[in-house]
């Protein structure tokens, strides 16, 4: 890119230029991706740590780009947030996930990720209510996953919005707990049903040092507040064993299953992941 600094210097970095161009191209193709039907959802099972059976699936978006192949949500969700297109894309995810979940056995829930942008100045209660109604999915089978960035401003407004959602009967999970600005105070102030302990904390288990103690403290505090705990990114049997011993009620990670296509769900529902 050509940039003229305040001091009048000019520089040209060909590698940065290529990266910026690639980003601009990605943005252009993202604009039409929804209309071109290039998104689909995959589903990762969340396992009941005691029963060893699937209790829900988290819906995760995938973008099949015509030339680049599969693009990671980590690369395009930030672009979608910045442009505001996440509102249309997120609406599609919600409807698609509810429609899919309505075909599953009644005890199985679906978790949908929401960006903070989707809540800004918008009535999510109406949007979620209509997705439930149109799909016929019982509200208690929908879990809304939010990261704590949503709680950083407007405590009162956000608190109200979340309570309104709960009024619909849906459940609310705090995603990526233990990253960024996590505050245990949020757990008291906001009406969460579940916290999801981030994989960055789970990855270190067992470390024989302080890291484990943090995870255990979070689990025990959540329990004392009546909040259930899902541990994310569980990759080894040792991690699973520890988390279960410490009372994590649910676990999710490659140890059990990667995210799968909807067609693979029936076979996952027959599996047991613990003795
Ligand atoms: P997330 O909500 O924290 O989702 C968990 C991510 O961890 C997923 O990556 C999942 O495939 C990955 N994962 C699961 N188990 C393991 C494991 O054992 N080890 C490792 N290393 N990773 C594991 P994915 O699907 O690439 O999604 C990345 C992020 O993109 C999500 O993080 C979420 O923040 C965002 N995202 C995905 N789908 C949506 C969506 O529909 N809407 C919004 N707003 N964000 C989404
Ligand atoms: Ca999530
Ligand atoms: Ca997460
Ligand atoms: Ca994450």
């Amino acid at each position: 890119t050509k940039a003229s600094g305040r001091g009048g210097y000019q520089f040209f970095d060909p590698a940065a230029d290529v990266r910026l161009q690639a980003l601009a191209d990605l943005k252009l193709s993202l604009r039409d991706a929804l209309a071109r039907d290039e998104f689909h959802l995959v589903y990762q099972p969340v396992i009941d740590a005691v029963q060893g059976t699937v209790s829900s699936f988290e819906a995760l978006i995938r973008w099949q780009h015509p030339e680049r192949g599969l693009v990671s949500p980590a690369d395009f969700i930030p672009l979608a947030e910045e442009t505001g297109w996440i509102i249309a894309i997120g609406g599609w995810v919600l409807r698609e996930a509810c429609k899919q979940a309505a075909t599953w056995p009644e005890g199985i829930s679906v978790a949908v990720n929401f960006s903070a942008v989707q809540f800004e100045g918008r009535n999510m209660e109406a949007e979620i209510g209509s997705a439930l109604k149109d799909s016929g999915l019982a509200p208690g089978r929908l879990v809304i996953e939010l990261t704590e960035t949503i709680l950083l401003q407007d405590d009162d407004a956000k608190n109200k919005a979340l309570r309104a959602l709960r009024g619909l009967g849906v459940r609310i999970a705090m995603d990526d707990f233990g990253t960024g600005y996590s505050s245990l105070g949020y757990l008291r102030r906001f009406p969460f049903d579940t916290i999801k302990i981030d994989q960055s904390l789970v990855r270190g288990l067992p470390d024989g040092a302080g890291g484990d103690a943090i995870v255990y403290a979070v689990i025990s505090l959540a329990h004392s507040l009546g909040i259930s705990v899902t541990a994310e990114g569980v990759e080894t049997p040792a991690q699973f064993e520890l988390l279960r011993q410490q009372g994590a009620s649910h676990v999710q990670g490659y140890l059990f299953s990667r995210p799968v296509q909807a067609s693979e769900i029936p076979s996952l529902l027959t599996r047991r992941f613990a003795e």
Side-chain angles (χ1 to χ4, degrees):
T1 189
K2 290 191 210 72
S4 53
R6 284 278 146 85
Y9 292 101
Q10 296 241 341
F11 63 89
F12 181 73
D13 171 358
D17 198 53
V18 167
R19 283 196 303 273
L20 264 189
Q21 189 56 51
L23 201 66
D25 289 348
L26 198 65
K27 207 181 216 176
L28 259 184
S29 43
L30 183 61
R31 193 188 53 197
D32 299 323
L34 195 56
R36 291 210 208 99
D37 209 16
E38 290 168 0
F39 295 119
H40 68 277
L41 297 181
V42 290
Y43 298 88
Q44 187 179 35
V46 177
I47 312 297
D48 180 312
V50 177
Q51 306 291 329
T53 52
V54 175
S55 65
S56 61
F57 289 90
E58 178 175 2
L60 295 159
I61 194 168
R62 294 292 178 264
W63 179 17
Q64 188 69 46
H65 189 283
E67 288 113 39
R68 291 159 178 255
L70 217 50
V71 184
S72 162
D75 291 328
F76 72 83
I77 292 289
L79 271 180
E81 291 173 340
E82 180 195 307
T83 54
W85 298 332
I86 190 67
I87 290 168
I89 296 171
W92 175 82
V93 170
L94 170 66
R95 296 184 155 268
E96 184 68 18
C98 289
K99 225 188 307 172
Q100 181 55 231
T103 69
W104 303 341
E106 271 179 25
I108 309 295
S109 307
V110 68
V112 176
N113 292 285
F114 281 78
S115 294
V117 181
Q118 292 177 262
F119 280 79
E120 274 159 25
R122 303 180 62 250
N123 184 351
M124 287 310 291
E125 191 191 348
E127 182 169 344
I128 292 169
S130 106
L132 288 168
K133 189 157 160 278
D134 294 349
S135 63
L137 187 73
R141 294 175 62 194
L142 177 63
V143 181
I144 306 288
E145 293 198 4
L146 302 169
T147 60
E148 58 221 354
T149 53
I150 201 171
L151 305 176
L152 290 182
Q153 312 125 350
D154 278 5
D155 273 21
D156 281 354
K158 294 285 156 47
N159 208 325
K160 240 183 175 165
L162 297 190
R163 288 186 194 279
L165 289 184
R166 269 225 163 153
L168 288 175
V170 307
R171 286 175 285 154
I172 303 177
M174 181 187 266
D175 205 353
D176 299 348
F177 192 83
T179 62
Y181 307 90
S182 297
S183 145
L184 296 171
Y186 289 144
L187 295 183
R188 284 185 55 116
R189 277 209 304 284
F190 294 95
F192 291 102
D193 299 279
T194 299
I195 62 170
K196 300 190 73 171
I197 299 185
D198 192 65
Q199 51 193 55
S200 60
L201 290 180
V202 172
R203 194 177 302 132
L205 294 178
D207 76 348
D212 296 8
I214 293 175
V215 173
Y216 304 157
V218 169
I219 295 174
S220 100
L221 178 77
H223 280 175
S224 68
L225 294 168
I227 297 169
S228 77
V229 173
T230 299
E232 293 193 278
V234 178
E235 294 185 350
T236 70
Q239 289 166 349
F240 177 34
E241 200 40 55
L242 270 174
L243 288 159
R244 185 164 54 170
Q245 272 170 23
Q246 294 294 325
S249 56
H250 296 83
V251 284
Q252 183 179 2
Y254 294 167
L255 175 65
F256 311 101
S257 170
R258 296 198 171 237
V260 300
Q261 305 294 329
S263 59
E264 296 177 54
I265 286 175
S267 90
L268 280 172
L269 288 174
T270 66
R271 287 188 51 188
R272 276 196 85 102
F273 295 87
E275 74 289 343

